[in-house]
Amino acid sequence: MCGEKELAPRIDKLNVFIESELARLENFSVEKEEKPHGMQELNRLFQQVLQET
C-alpha cells in the first residue's frame, strides 16, 4: 500500500494552510459552560414526549 505522497504531487498552498491552522489551533480550548438544570429540564421533556407516544 502506498502513501498519499506517492499518489499525487504536493500542493504547497494547501500544506501552508494546514500548517498555519494547526499552529493556530494548537492552544485552542473550549470551556464548558455549566448549566445545572439544563439536563434535568431536557430529561423531563424527553420523558414527557415518551409518555405521549
Side-chain angles (χ1 to χ4, degrees), residues 27-44:
N27 296 318
F28 180 78
S29 68
V30 176
E31 292 184 25
K32 183 178 177 182
E33 184 178 321
E34 293 295 326
K35 295 183 180 180
H37 300 292
M39 287 302 290
Q40 291 174 351
E41 293 172 19
L42 184 58
N43 285 335
R44 194 174 312 118

Side-chain angles (χ1 to χ4, degrees), residues 3-4 9 12 16 20 23 32 38 43-44 52:
E4 186 177 332
D12 289 328
V16 168
S20 69
K32 183 178 177 182
N43 285 335
R44 194 174 312 118
E52 292 175 3

Side-chain angles (χ1 to χ4, degrees), residues 16-30:
V16 168
F17 172 76
I18 291 171
E19 289 173 6
S20 69
E21 287 300 294
L22 288 173
R24 182 178 70 88
L25 297 172
E26 189 171 293
N27 296 318
F28 180 78
S29 68
V30 176

